[in-house]
Amino acid sequence: MSDALVTSGRRTLTPARGPDSVLPVAMDGVGYTIDGVTLLDDVSLRIRPGRLTAIMGANGAGKTLCLRLIQGLLQPTVGTLSHASGPVTLTGRRRIATVFQRPVLLRRSVAGNLRHALKTYRVPRAERAAMLTDLLDLAELRALAHRSARVLSSGEQQRLSIVRALAADPDLLLLDEPTANLDPYATRMIETLIRQAEARGVTVVLVTHDVGQARRLADDVVFLNRGRVTEQTPAGSFFDEPQTAEAAAYLAGRLLL
Amino acid sequence: MGDAIAEAFRLIAVGDAALWEIVSLSLRVSLTAVALACLIGLPLGALLAIARFPGRGALIVATNSLMGLPPVLAGLLVYLLLSRAGPLGPLELLYTPTAMIIAQTVLVTPIIVALSRQVIADMHQEYDEQLRSMGITTMGAVLTLLYDARLSLLTVALAGFGRAAAEVGAVMMVGGNINHVTRVMTTTIALETSKGNLAIAVGLGLVLMLIALTVNGALMALRGTQGVARHV
Ligand SMILES: Nc1ncnc2c1ncn2[C@@H]1O[C@H](COP(=O)(O)OP(=O)(O)OP(=O)(O)O)[C@@H](O)[C@H]1O
Ligand SMILES: [Mg+2]
């Protein structure tokens, strides 16, 4: 992927974020209960600007729920979730972008999906064409621009979903297992894309089961176990000396339930 | 009988003026009615599909029931509105093509609302979280869904057209089947058959069938072209 893009000095490439940034995001004692079942319990964590946070934990631990809460799609049943910019409004929601575990692409071409996003994110009309080419290049999808998005391979769909999220020029990018099911080459491409997003000044939260990937990318690790945060530590110490039996078991490939 | 059919084909083949006057009025009335019904019905169907407001359930039941509204009742309703003593009486629209357009719009709008609501609700189920995460407005979501469902919605519009073009009761009541003014295919078929003029009745019947076939054929061709079908 071309590094020229990262340094081309466009508005979206400025690493420094304005004072209206949603970051840091803080969850304090957050619980989420549905139909009497508590799915998240007393979750406290910090998302700091410029640091990549990996959320790890077994299937069903509540990682995706956490992302939905951060994005403002769900409200905590107890506790507080605060964004530096205040309560998340409709416009505020555009400061945060999510790539879902199963991304939903519109029934349009690759370029059509990006155009829709640019419009939805209120990018001024005059800037859209340039950004479209930029995003297509970033995802290495220029050759497929006119292909229907829904017939792309999973790797291509993931790349498209990530650059679609970047069309928001978000402060915070939430990625839910973006490389599950991808081959090593496609995984590398996504990781490069994540680094490029960071170079654009985007703060990334990454849910992943790939320990190697978390080691490569993460600055901080949040470990969730059955709806509770059992660790939030800098990545190095998490992998080298996990503090809890659950995290140690998870890293060793044993599932504790 | 055989003579009637032969004469019918002759009328079509030579492009009989009286026949084509009737056919073109039919098309004008029904197409305009469907266009108006779509203008009203598609946004309404989309709103019913995605917005949550009190009375929504009742509205859905109402539109679903109105889908089966007998044409004569639509005709009666519009007749009462447009008749000299009715609220819109001063406009003097009764027994004009405009009256027929209004009546067919009343007939077709519930069909467009109910069918498009279903199509859009299914797609909304799939798109909702993605669109909300993008901070889209309700209006933006409606437009996105209408666009992405465009092919299914075209089928919905054609179902509405089928209903409009085939009905007799509503246009008969508010149009009056006046020669050269409000005479359309279905009313003419009814009238000429009762008068024993089978040739023109059969001829118009054939044209009506041909229109139905063309419309459905065009739709299938459209679905088949990769330009549309590729967006699975
Ligand atoms: N709407 C809901 N209603 C009921 N239960 C739910 C709902 N959403 C999530 N859950 C439950 O909450 C738990 C956490 O779900 P979540 O999707 O956050 O898991 P996850 O950590 O992302 O798992 P995975 O690694 O498999 O993606 C699961 O047990 C799930 O069944
Ligand atoms: Mg998940």
Side-chain angles (χ1 to χ4, degrees), chain A residues 64 101 176-177:
Chain A
T64 298
Q101 205 162 350
D176 200 348
E177 301 190 32

Side-chain angles (χ1 to χ4, degrees), chain A residues 95-169:
Chain A
R95 312 297 316 136
I96 308 173
T98 303
V99 174
F100 293 97
Q101 205 162 350
R102 281 184 293 269
V104 175
L105 294 166
L106 305 186
R107 287 166 175 73
R108 306 175 187 207
S109 66
V110 170
N113 270 271
L114 292 177
R115 264 188 233 108
H116 175 267
L118 290 167
K119 208 169 140 195
T120 303
Y121 290 132
R122 300 287 196 280
V123 173
R125 194 177 289 271
E127 294 174 32
R128 287 185 206 158
M131 279 192 76
L132 176 64
T133 355
D134 186 16
L135 293 170
L136 284 171
D137 284 342
L138 195 59
E140 293 187 8
L141 287 173
R142 200 196 261 247
L144 302 181
H146 303 292
R147 183 87 49 92
S148 167
R150 295 169 67 102
V151 303
L152 297 180
S153 78
S154 345
E156 291 158 351
Q157 292 203 4
Q158 280 294 355
R159 264 144 57 202
L160 175 57
S161 307
I162 293 176
V163 293
R164 174 176 64 177
L166 289 178
D169 182 22

Side-chain angles (χ1 to χ4, degrees), chain A residues 68 107-108 116 146 150, chain B residues 129 132 144 148 230 232:
Chain A
R68 288 207 180 99
R107 287 166 175 73
R108 306 175 187 207
H116 175 267
H146 303 292
R150 295 169 67 102
Chain B
E129 191 164 61
R132 278 196 299 135
T144 302
D148 276 36
R230 65 198 174 121
V232 276

